[in-house]
Amino acid sequence: FQAEDCIRDYKVTGVQTCALPIFKILKDNYPKFDIISGKKIYVSRKNSPHRNVSEEEQIEKYFKELNYEIVYFENLTILEQSKVCQESEKIVCLYGTNLLNCGFCSNKTTVISIKYNIPSDSWTINSAYNRIFKENSIKHIELNFTGDQLLPFIKQNRNLW
């Protein structure tokens, strides 16, 4: 497909020019999987080279105690990422490109993203993520946290998990 077609058909600009149209093509052509009742995942950034969290291992342990499966998207193919997202009832992740994978989710999935030390005035692709959630009727909860200790913030919001 042509970039011009994407701009015309999907009315997207900037980062969205690539992300949204490509994502739509993938979603429309990938196999469909049923949601698994009670399946909850935490998408870890432990192996990510960017925006790491010093407490990641403790955060993983906390979510494991709450019966979450820990997932490392960077170790999965896009098809495997699609399957994991489609099968999950609840997904928790730090704000970032992991959210694009959540577009594969069912409209019965709740996605909770945590913006961790991202200045409110910095440019992000909020509109791309929000558009994916809106167009797919996916419930999205966004939390904002600025500071050094993320785990206590996560524990304070236990009612969401």
Side-chain angles (χ1 to χ4, degrees):
F1 66 102
Q2 300 284 326
E4 296 82 16
D5 296 334
C6 295
I7 293 167
R8 182 192 66 241
D9 296 344
Y10 299 100
K11 297 175 179 53
V12 293
T13 60
V15 169
Q16 296 177 21
T17 301
C18 296
L20 290 176
I22 291 171
F23 173 79
K24 179 162 178 28
I25 289 168
L26 290 174
K27 182 169 183 170
D28 290 347
N29 291 287
Y30 268 34
K32 307 297 183 243
F33 300 95
D34 293 328
I35 197 166
I36 297 174
S37 180
K39 182 173 181 171
K40 304 182 293 185
I41 67 167
Y42 170 72
V43 182
S44 176
R45 292 188 65 88
K46 182 166 75 174
N47 302 322
S48 174
H50 306 290
R51 291 198 323 263
N52 295 61
V53 177
S54 61
E55 310 162 274
E56 190 68 52
E57 288 187 19
Q58 294 91 338
I59 292 169
E60 285 184 14
K61 181 179 177 189
Y62 178 73
F63 279 108
K64 280 182 187 175
E65 291 169 1
L66 298 176
N67 297 315
Y68 275 74
E69 178 184 335
I70 308 305
V71 175
Y72 307 94
F73 278 155
E74 64 273 13
N75 295 337
L76 303 176
T77 66
I78 188 72
L79 180 59
E80 292 168 331
Q81 293 171 31
S82 164
K83 184 176 190 283
V84 166
C85 288
Q86 288 181 57
E87 292 178 340
S88 298
E89 196 168 65
K90 188 175 279 186
I91 298 174
V92 177
C93 63
L94 294 182
Y95 192 85
T97 56
N98 290 328
L99 287 172
L100 290 173
N101 295 315
C102 295
F104 287 111
C105 294
S106 158
N107 61 2
K108 297 174 185 163
T109 302
T110 299
V111 176
I112 303 170
S113 64
I114 304 170
K115 278 188 170 179
Y116 175 61
N117 287 334
I118 298 177
S120 59
D121 61 347
S122 73
W123 183 85
T124 64
I125 57 172
N126 271 336
S127 59
Y129 299 145
N130 290 335
R131 186 166 172 190
I132 286 172
F133 293 128
K134 183 179 177 183
E135 288 180 2
N136 293 286
S137 301
I138 299 166
K139 182 178 179 185
H140 177 228
I141 300 168
E142 184 178 284
L143 303 175
N144 293 290
F145 177 75
T146 303
D148 295 327
Q149 300 295 312
L150 181 58
L151 185 57
F153 174 78
I154 289 171
K155 288 182 175 181
Q156 284 175 349
N157 287 283
R158 183 182 171 99
N159 62 316
L160 293 173
W161 322 128

